[in-house]
Amino acid sequence: MSEGFLKSIGYPANTKNVYVANHGQITFFRITEEENAAAVAQEGIKLDGLTVIIRKLKVPSSRMMEVAYPEPCLGFHFVLEGAFEFLDVNGGSFFLVPSDMYLPIEWTITTGQKKFVGENYTSLEVLFTKNYLERLLGKGVIPSCDYFHNLSNTTYNNPILRTKSISEKLRSSLVGIIDCPYDDSVKASYLECKTRWLLIDLIMNRENYRPMNVDLGLPVSEYKSIENVVHHIQKNLKNKLTIKELSEVVGYNTTKLKSNFKIVHKTTIFKYITKLRMETAKTLILHEDIPIAQASYEVGYSNPQHFTKAFKKTMGYLPSELKPGVKQ
């Protein structure tokens, strides 16, 4: 097996037990390893501009892998079981994707360390170039501003805030890909077809894309200003946020800020902030075993009772229901 091919799918050159079969323009691969209590099953496809990697790992604690991608690309990293961590070789960029979450990412860093955490780890990685995306969706359709987490932009390197929850509908689609019942050539075609539909559904979702020729009702500069407000909110969830403060971030009066924000995000500023706080608190409680009182503080609530009331109103259930016996 060539070192170049292994690098092209993000695997170290010393990987063993690799099966590869070419089916027209699609290359199907399977990587298996068994050592002591560890069992590794990883497979997927590679074609021009697209790589799909399914990982099913059974490891005692965690597994570290040195990886090298040949060129920058876009991608989605879905984690159904366990947790995924990435650290670039210089220690400058880090992110974490917990269980039941996914991260849209722009791989501008081509070498680093991947860490797979959890006795049972299951994930799906979809990597693709911008050219592939144009061939799939057509020119003029692009994801909205900063939809993909750019590793070279340290401003956004928050390991939690950039991840998104996997809905039941999305999970069903992912399981259909991961548990494909076919093999070899049929599986290669199946994975390509299902992945194309997955990308279309995700990126063409109204929340995730903006056709370049659609009038937002705002100049591009004002649209970007609203996104700057969002970035400020994400970095300061722990602090008290006011309309006046957010207006000063972009130099708007409060009326213009509230109006423009609703045009872009289809909700009010405070509803957006509250939803983001509750989603972040949910992640802290579920995946970092942080007590509810501390989680409420981490997202800007000094009174845990006020937080619990807001959580119930926003999410539809109490934070104590996230985990049986969770600390208050």
Side-chain angles (χ1 to χ4, degrees):
M1 179 52 50
S2 72
E3 179 177 338
F5 177 80
L6 289 169
K7 284 187 176 181
S8 75
I9 59 174
Y11 282 89
N14 61 354
T15 300
K16 300 178 181 179
N17 301 322
V18 181
Y19 167 78
V20 175
N22 294 314
H23 304 290
Q25 297 180 334
I26 308 174
T27 299
F28 174 77
F29 60 89
R30 180 182 294 118
I31 299 169
T32 56
E33 299 176 50
E34 289 190 17
E35 184 177 342
N36 299 325
V40 178
Q42 304 174 95
E43 61 184 4
I45 58 171
K46 178 176 173 58
L47 58 152
D48 184 23
L50 175 68
T51 301
V52 180
I53 304 172
I54 298 168
R55 302 187 198 271
K56 295 181 180 180
L57 315 181
K58 291 184 180 294
V59 292
S61 55
S62 64
R63 179 184 177 88
M64 189 74 76
M65 179 187 293
E66 300 281 348
V67 295
Y69 294 109
E71 59 183 359
C73 60
L74 301 173
F76 289 98
H77 200 110
F78 306 93
V79 177
L80 281 74
E81 290 183 277
F84 172 78
E85 298 176 11
F86 175 83
L87 183 69
D88 77 60
V89 290
N90 299 315
S93 294
F94 164 80
F95 67 81
L96 164 70
V97 185
S99 179
D100 292 317
M101 305 289 281
Y102 73 98
L103 181 68
I105 190 165
E106 182 173 1
W107 285 101
T108 51
I109 296 169
T110 57
T111 58
Q113 289 184 328
K114 289 183 176 182
K115 184 178 182 181
F116 309 108
V117 182
E119 183 175 346
N120 293 295
Y121 176 87
T122 305
S123 71
L124 175 69
E125 293 177 51
V126 181
L127 309 172
F128 49 92
T129 63
K130 291 181 180 179
N131 286 338
Y132 178 85
L133 201 58
E134 282 195 346
R135 294 199 303 271
L136 178 65
L137 303 177
K139 292 185 177 181
V141 178
I142 59 172
S144 62
C145 180
D146 297 320
Y147 179 65
F148 289 97
H149 175 82
N150 188 317
L151 285 182
S152 65
N153 190 336
T154 55
T155 302
Y156 310 140
N157 282 339
N158 185 309
I160 294 177
L161 294 184
R162 304 295 291 182
T163 56
K164 301 173 182 291
S165 298
I166 295 176
S167 66
E168 286 303 315
K169 180 181 178 182
L170 177 56
R171 171 176 277 272
S172 177
S173 297
L174 297 174
V175 170
I177 295 173
I178 292 171
D179 294 339
C180 168
Y182 309 113
D183 197 15
D184 220 323
S185 62
V186 178
K187 188 165 195 173
S189 298
Y190 179 93
L191 291 180
E192 182 199 11
C193 179
K194 288 292 186 179
T195 301
R196 288 168 66 91
W197 278 111
L198 176 66
L199 291 177
I200 291 171
D201 284 344
L202 279 173
I203 296 175
M204 297 302 289
N205 182 298
R206 289 176 181 265
E207 297 178 356
N208 298 337
Y209 89 102
R210 301 284 184 190
M212 292 177 67
N213 58 352
V214 169
D215 183 8
L216 293 172
L218 296 174
V220 173
S221 60
E222 292 190 15
Y223 176 76
K224 289 182 178 179
S225 292
I226 295 302
E227 292 307 297
N228 288 336
V229 171
V230 170
H231 298 154
H232 181 84
I233 292 169
Q234 291 173 337
K235 292 193 299 178
N236 293 278
L237 274 187
K238 194 173 182 178
N239 304 323
K240 183 179 180 180
L241 293 165
T242 66
I243 297 294
K244 183 176 183 298
E245 173 193 345
L246 297 176
S247 297
E248 292 172 352
V249 170
V250 290
Y252 290 170
N253 61 48
T254 57
T255 301
K256 181 176 181 178
L257 173 64
K258 290 189 287 185
S259 174
N260 284 7
F261 193 96
K262 194 162 188 178
I263 288 172
V264 174
H265 290 284
K266 312 303 181 187
T267 189
T268 67
I269 294 174
F270 280 119
K271 284 183 179 178
Y272 181 93
I273 292 172
T274 300
K275 179 68 172 178
L276 185 58
R277 281 177 165 155
M278 299 307 119
E279 291 286 358
T280 302
K282 176 182 174 181
T283 300
L284 292 172
I285 295 167
L286 272 177
H287 305 295
E288 298 199 7
D289 292 323
I290 289 179
I292 292 173
Q294 184 181 343
S296 69
Y297 173 75
E298 293 296 330
V299 296
Y301 284 81
S302 58
N303 187 321
Q305 291 181 335
H306 291 168
F307 164 77
T308 297
K309 184 177 179 180
F311 192 98
K312 169 70 173 177
K313 183 177 180 180
T314 304
M315 308 298 282
Y317 54 89
L318 294 170
S320 57
E321 295 178 50
L322 288 170
K323 280 188 173 181
V326 68
K327 295 180 180 178
Q328 299 295 317

